[in-house]
C-alpha cells in the first residue's frame, strides 16, 4: 500500500475510524430467536423446523416451485450440475463424473464457484464472453459457441453483482439447441426481469447465503428446481444418498451438503429483510451514480429495460481514455498517477489506505491459470485464452476490458451517507 498522507492530492483526508466493508452481514435480532429455538429444542442437526421454513419461505419469495437448503451455494451448483448431467447423460458410475468428456458453456466473468462444479463432474468449461449492457453472458458469443460445438447441451449463466443477464435471448438459444440452463443466482437474490425473479429462468438454479451476500446464514445455499422428484433426489444426495432401509444402504454416491438447522435459523431470521437490504443497496448505487457523475467513469449496468437489479455490489468502470498507465501480472500490479486519470489499482489502494474496502472486478475465468487451456468464445471468432489479452487490449475480449477498467465499490448497507460521501471524495482525489 502506498502512503497517501504524503500525497498532496489527499491532504486533509482522514482515515475512517471503523472499517467500511465491501458488503458485510446485517443482523436484525430475529435470527437469534430461531437459533435459540433450535438449541432449546435440540434440533441442531440437518433436520428441523428452521430448514423446512427456509425452504418454504424462499420458494415462495422467489416464486420457484421447490427449494432445497444446502451447506453453501457451491454445493448447490455442484448438485445442479450433477442433476443436469444425469438428465442429459444418464446416471453416473461411482468414481466417474457425470459430465466426463462433455463441454459446458459457462459465464466467463464470474466467481470460480460458478464453473468449478463442471470440473468436479469431469466436464470441461468453455467460456462465453461478456457483454457490456448487463456485464453477463453475451448471447451472440453463445450462438457462436453452438456453431463451433453443436453437441453441447448445458449452459451455466451467472447474474453478476445482482444485474439480471439476457435471459430471454439465452433461453431462446438454449431451446433451439436442446440445452439445459443452470442459473447461478448467488449474487442476484431478489433481482427481477420482467417481474420474475432470477432463479426461476433456469431449469435448475442456485443461490447463496454466504456472509457477504444480500442476506446471509453465515454460510448456506439453496438449489431451486421445478420438479418435486428432482428436489427429493437432491435432498437425498445431500445427506449421503441413504436409501430407505433399516441400515445405511447406498445405491448412489452421496455428499454431506445439507444445511444445518442452526444455520437455517439465521437464514430464517434474515428472509423478512431481503427487500429492505435491496432498498439500502439501491440507495447506495444511486448516491454513487450522482456523486461520481462529474468523473470520467460509469456505474455498472442497471441492465435491460425491464430489469430490477438487487444492487448487491455497486461497481464503476473508468472510461478507456481515463485509465492512467496500469499493468497487471498474475499476482501483482503496477500503476502510475496522471492528472485527470486514475486506475482500479490506485483507487482500491487509496480507499484501503483510508479504511474502506473496494475490490477488483471478478477476474475472468479464461484469464485464470487453471483454465488457460480451455476454449474462450468471443463475438468475432473463437479465441484461445491468452493471459495477456487484457494488456494488449484485444477489442473483442469484453470480460478482460471490464476487469481492466472496473472495480467494486464499498457497498455495505450499514455505510452511512456521510461515510459514502467520504468514499466518493477519495475517488475524486485519485483523478486529481
Ligand atoms: C458467492 C457465489 C457463489 C458461491 O456461493 P457460496 O455460498 O460461497 O458457496 C457462487 N457463484 C457466485 C457468482 C457467487 O458470487
Amino acid at each position: 500500500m502506498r502512503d497517501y498522507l504524503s500525497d498532496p492530492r489527499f491532504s486533509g483526508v482522514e482515515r475512517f475510524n471503523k472499517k467500511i466493508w465491501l458488503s458485510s452481514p446485517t443482523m436484525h435480532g430475529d435470527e437469534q430467536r430461531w437459533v435459540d429455538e433450535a438449541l432449546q429444542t435440540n434440533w441442531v442437526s440437518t433436520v428441523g423446523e428452521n430448514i423446512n421454513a427456509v425452504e418454504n419461505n424462499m420458494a415462495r419469495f422467489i416464486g420457484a416451485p421447490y427449494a432445497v437448503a444446502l451447506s453453501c451455494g457451491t454445493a448447490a451448483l455442484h448438485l445442479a450440475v450433477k442433476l443436469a448431467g444425469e438428465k442429459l447423460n444418464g446416471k453416473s458410475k461411482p468414481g466417474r463424473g457425470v459430465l466426463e468428456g462433455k463441454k459446458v458453456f459457462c459465464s466467463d466473468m464470474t466467481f470460480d464457484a460458478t464453473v468449478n462444479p463442471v470440473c468436479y463432474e469431469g466436464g470441461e468449461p468453455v467460456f462465453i464472453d461478456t457483454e457490456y449492457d448487463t456485464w453477463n453472458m453475451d448471447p451472440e458469443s453463445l450462438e457462436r459457441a453452438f456453431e463451433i460445438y453443436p453437441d453441447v447441451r448445458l449452459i451455466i449463466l451467472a447474474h453478476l453483482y445482482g444485474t439480471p443477464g439476457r435471459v430471454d435471448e439465452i433461453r431462446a438459444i438454449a431451446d433451439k439447441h436442446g440445452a439445459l440452463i443452470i442459473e447461478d443466482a448467488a449474487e442476484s437474490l431478489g433481482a427481477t426481469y420482467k417481474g420474475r425473479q432470477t432463479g426461476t429462468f433456469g431449469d435448475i438454479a442456485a443461490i447463496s447465503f454466504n456472509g457477504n451476500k444480500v442476506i446471509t446464514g453465515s454460510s448456506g445455499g439453496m438449489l431451486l428446481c421445478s420438479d418435486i422428484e428432482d428436489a427429493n433426489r437432491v435432498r437425498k444426495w445431500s445427506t449421503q444418498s441413504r436409501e430407505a432401509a433399516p441400515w445405511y444402504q447406498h445405491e448412489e454416491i452421496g455428499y454431506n451438503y445439507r444445511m444445518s438447522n442452526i444455520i437455517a435459523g439465521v437464514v430464517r431470521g434474515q428472509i423478512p429483510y431481503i427487500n429492505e437490504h435491496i432498498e439500502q443497496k439501491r440507495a447506495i448505487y444511486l448516491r454513487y451514480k450522482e456523486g461520481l457523475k462529474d468523473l470520467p467513469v460509469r456505474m455498472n449496468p442497471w441492465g435491460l429495460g425491464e430489469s430490477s437489479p438487487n444492487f448487491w455490489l455497486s461497481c464503476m468502470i473508468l472510461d478507456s481514455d481515463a485509465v492512467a498507465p496500469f499493468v497487471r501480472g498474475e499476482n501483482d500490479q503496477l500503476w502510475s498517477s496522471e492528472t485527470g486519470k486514475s486506475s482500479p489499482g490506485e483507487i482500491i489502494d487509496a480507499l484501503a489506505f483510508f479504511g474502506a474496502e473496494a475490490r477488483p472486478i471478478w477476474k475472468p475465468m479464461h484469464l485464470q491459470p487453471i483454465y488457460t487451456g480451455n476454449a474462450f468464445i468471443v463475438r468475432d471468432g473463437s479465441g484461445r485464452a491468452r493471459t495477456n489479452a487484457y494488456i494488449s487490449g484485444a477489442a473483442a475480449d469484453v470480460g478482460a476490458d471490464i476487469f481492466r477498467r472496473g472495480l467494486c465499490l464499498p457497498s455495505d448497507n450499514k455505510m452511512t451517507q456521510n461515510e459514502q460521501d467520504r468514499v466518493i471524495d477519495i475517488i475524486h482525489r485519485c483523478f486529481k
Side-chain angles (χ1 to χ4, degrees):
M1 205 184 291
R2 297 196 181 170
D3 175 14
Y4 291 86
L5 291 180
S6 59
D7 183 335
R9 294 179 299 164
F10 295 88
S11 74
V13 180
E14 283 176 26
R15 287 191 155 112
F16 290 101
N17 47 23
K18 67 172 179 10
K19 181 153 176 175
I20 308 300
W21 298 99
L22 185 78
S23 182
S24 74
T26 303
M27 295 291 130
H28 298 274
D30 307 3
E31 301 84 358
Q32 189 73 55
R33 174 179 154 211
W34 299 119
V35 170
D36 286 350
E37 194 174 288
L39 293 171
Q40 279 151 15
T41 56
N42 204 36
W43 288 99
V44 296
S45 178
T46 53
V47 181
E49 257 324 294
N50 288 334
I51 296 176
N52 300 339
V54 161
E55 289 188 341
N56 292 332
N57 296 351
M58 285 308 299
R60 198 170 335 115
F61 177 84
I62 294 172
Y66 300 99
V68 182
L70 298 168
S71 55
C72 62
T74 310
L77 284 159
H78 182 194
L79 296 187
V81 163
K82 185 169 160 109
L83 188 60
E86 291 212 347
K87 283 179 189 294
L88 295 165
N89 307 321
K91 257 193 192 312
S92 57
K93 297 194 183 68
R96 307 265 327 252
V98 73
L99 291 177
E100 231 147 90
K102 307 278 185 196
K103 291 182 167 60
V104 177
F105 295 150
C106 299
S107 285
D108 174 59
M109 193 176 82
T110 184
F111 185 37
D112 70 342
T114 308
V115 302
N116 286 346
V118 171
C119 300
Y120 303 166
E121 290 299 326
E124 183 187 329
V126 169
F127 300 112
I128 309 298
D129 199 13
T130 307
E131 54 116 35
Y132 289 108
D133 292 345
T134 64
W135 285 15
N136 287 311
M137 186 185 281
D138 173 33
E140 261 188 61
S141 302
L142 179 65
E143 192 67 273
R144 262 208 67 83
F146 274 110
E147 284 165 22
I148 300 165
Y149 304 110
D151 298 334
V152 172
R153 291 289 173 268
L154 183 58
I155 299 165
I156 306 183
L157 164 70
H159 303 285
L160 222 65
Y161 302 128
T163 297
R166 287 192 175 270
V167 282
D168 283 350
E169 285 103 318
I170 288 169
R171 170 53 74 190
I173 296 168
D175 287 351
K176 190 166 119 195
H177 297 277
L180 298 176
I181 299 176
I182 294 174
E183 231 184 323
D184 179 352
E187 300 181 359
S188 64
L189 177 59
T192 63
Y193 177 63
K194 293 187 178 168
R196 249 173 84 185
Q197 294 227 5
T198 60
T200 63
F201 297 99
D203 296 279
I204 315 167
I207 57 175
S208 165
F209 303 118
N210 178 294
N212 67 14
K213 300 285 159 54
V214 165
I215 62 164
T216 182
S218 75
S219 64
M222 220 163 220
L223 180 143
L224 308 172
C225 61
S226 50
D227 184 322
I228 190 164
E229 280 174 22
D230 287 347
N232 286 335
R233 289 194 75 196
V234 169
R235 272 191 201 102
K236 178 184 165 197
W237 288 343
S238 75
T239 50
Q240 302 293 15
S241 294
R242 226 185 132 171
E243 300 298 331
W247 45 81
Y248 276 82
Q249 176 81 5
H250 300 292
E251 293 175 9
E252 28 179 16
I253 291 289
Y255 307 83
N256 181 6
Y257 278 176
R258 191 73 164 137
M259 183 183 280
S260 103
N261 198 47
I262 306 273
I263 299 289
V266 183
V267 178
R268 188 178 181 182
Q270 290 261 288
I271 293 172
Y273 298 93
I274 299 174
N275 287 329
E276 182 181 312
H277 290 187
I278 293 173
E279 274 315 306
Q280 291 162 337
K281 285 185 180 275
R282 184 203 303 271
I284 289 169
Y285 179 95
L286 292 173
R287 283 205 292 270
Y288 276 129
K289 196 175 164 74
E290 179 63 24
L292 299 170
K293 69 178 183 200
D294 56 328
L295 290 177
V297 306
R298 269 177 307 145
M299 294 300 291
N300 57 318
W302 190 285
L304 310 172
E306 291 166 275
S307 284
S308 180
N310 74 354
F311 306 95
W312 173 54
L313 294 185
S314 286
C315 306
M316 69 177 213
I317 180 164
L318 283 72
D319 292 351
S320 299
D321 54 9
V323 183
F326 176 44
V327 287
R328 281 175 172 149
E330 287 299 348
N331 294 297
D332 48 13
Q333 55 187 3
L334 282 172
W335 67 87
S336 58
S337 306
E338 264 181 28
T339 307
K341 299 183 179 186
S342 187
S343 62
E346 180 179 58
I347 296 167
I348 293 167
D349 193 60
L351 286 170
F353 178 85
F354 291 104
E357 186 187 21
R359 208 196 253 180
I361 298 297
W362 294 123
K363 181 174 177 176
M365 289 300 115
H366 77 278
L367 299 175
Q368 300 287 356
I370 38 169
Y371 289 126
T372 45
N374 294 48
F376 169 55
I377 311 297
V378 298
R379 278 194 186 200
D380 56 352
S382 94
R384 299 296 292 182
R386 283 159 299 150
T387 48
N388 62 349
Y390 61 98
I391 294 169
S392 65
D397 190 341
V398 175
D401 180 45
I402 297 173
F403 174 60
R404 194 179 83 88
R405 295 192 283 128
L407 65 147
C408 307
L409 299 166
S411 306
D412 194 57
N413 49 350
K414 295 171 294 313
M415 175 169 63
T416 65
Q417 200 156 340
N418 175 266
E419 288 165 339
Q420 191 176 353
D421 288 343
R422 290 170 60 193
V423 169
I424 291 168
D425 175 52
I426 293 166
I427 296 170
H428 274 89
R429 289 168 189 261
C430 291
F431 286 86
K432 279 194 178 158

